[in-house]
Amino acid sequence: MNQAHISEFVIASMEAETFGTWLIEGFNTRTVKLLDCYFNFESASGRESLVETARKILDDNELETLQRAWSQVFCIGPGCVPPEESVVKTGLSMQEPRDMALDWYYRFKIKPAAGLPADNLGVELLFLGRILSSIPEDNETEKTNVLKETETFVRERLAWTKDFYVSLENKKDNPDFSLILPFVSLILEFIDELSGFLSEHLESVSES
């Protein structure tokens, strides 16, 4: 989020949508293209460690192998860890975190992806991408209000992702999990940096 000729919020929106789409669809021709665009942008920005690890995994493995690993980790494998806050926190799907996520979507009049729990991380990241792309640049009052809402959403609704990552990391000796972990690491890095960026931006607004 540091190339000045492009709005930081537009860049963050595209990154959120890239990760959200990957979490929902897995590895396919479209998501690989999205990830490649993200890798190229981040490499040009001088951020190469995690990016190069994930890029090497894409380069060294067949698409079918990667999709199988994604399915085993998130959907159907023994010990799979669905990317849902309810599951991570309670062991069951469609619990209170789902309802809390839905409250946010209804507040912004955004319909969540059909067929997936509202607290699925992919769904939440697509929602985040939508609100980031809606931040106005020409109305400072409205811009600040949307930024406050966005910062609150990231802080309250995405804090669980650290526990999600730990659940995956605990199984990193499994080859499927080891293939997927670097991509999830990128998502956590994105969330952490976005949270800091939003907080700093709001602090600068309050001081001006």
Side-chain angles (χ1 to χ4, degrees), residues 15-34:
E15 292 177 349
E17 291 181 6
T18 293
F19 290 133
T21 302
W22 174 75
L23 280 163
I24 290 172
E25 297 184 11
F27 291 96
N28 56 41
T29 303
R30 182 166 83 105
T31 58
V32 167
K33 286 181 180 178
L34 289 172

Side-chain angles (χ1 to χ4, degrees), residues 2-186:
N2 59 357
Q3 297 198 6
H5 63 288
I6 305 175
S7 163
E8 294 95 335
F9 307 119
V10 171
I11 295 169
S13 171
M14 292 189 296
E15 292 177 349
E17 291 181 6
T18 293
F19 290 133
T21 302
W22 174 75
L23 280 163
I24 290 172
E25 297 184 11
F27 291 96
N28 56 41
T29 303
R30 182 166 83 105
T31 58
V32 167
K33 286 181 180 178
L34 289 172
L35 289 168
D36 272 334
C37 288
Y38 167 75
F39 293 157
N40 291 336
F41 180 85
E42 290 297 298
S43 294
S45 302
R47 300 157 50 83
E48 298 182 357
S49 54
L50 283 175
V51 166
E52 290 309 312
T53 299
R55 189 198 293 272
K56 190 172 188 307
I57 290 173
L58 277 185
D59 291 342
D60 292 352
N61 292 273
E62 297 291 336
L63 193 58
E64 293 77 7
T65 300
L66 294 171
Q67 181 59 19
R68 177 189 175 281
W70 181 92
S71 298
Q72 291 290 314
V73 169
F74 294 140
C75 304
I76 60 175
C80 68
V81 182
E84 301 169 27
E85 184 179 4
S86 291
V87 174
V88 171
K89 285 188 172 180
T90 72
L92 299 171
S93 186
M94 311 288 273
Q95 302 301 303
E96 183 181 6
R98 186 279 307 262
D99 299 333
M100 296 172 71
L102 279 174
D103 287 343
W104 275 93
Y105 306 155
Y106 294 150
R107 187 186 311 178
F108 278 80
K109 297 180 173 60
I110 292 177
K111 185 177 180 180
L116 289 170
D119 60 342
N120 179 289
L121 181 55
V123 176
E124 292 183 320
L125 288 176
L126 290 182
F127 169 75
L128 177 61
R130 289 278 298 277
I131 58 176
L132 283 167
S133 67
S134 73
I135 294 174
E137 296 286 356
D138 55 354
N139 185 320
E140 285 301 318
T141 300
E142 186 178 349
K143 177 180 178 179
T144 299
N145 289 337
V146 179
L147 280 174
K148 287 178 179 177
E149 292 271 40
T150 307
E151 190 275 334
T152 301
F153 176 80
V154 172
R155 175 166 38 84
E156 293 183 356
R157 301 297 340 125
L158 300 182
W160 67 275
T161 55
K162 293 182 175 64
D163 293 331
F164 171 57
Y165 180 80
V166 170
S167 297
L168 297 175
E169 190 176 37
N170 287 339
K171 302 179 181 184
K172 63 184 177 183
D173 291 339
N174 181 308
D176 291 328
F177 281 80
S178 68
L179 284 177
I180 298 303
L181 266 172
F183 296 91
V184 180
S185 294
L186 287 171

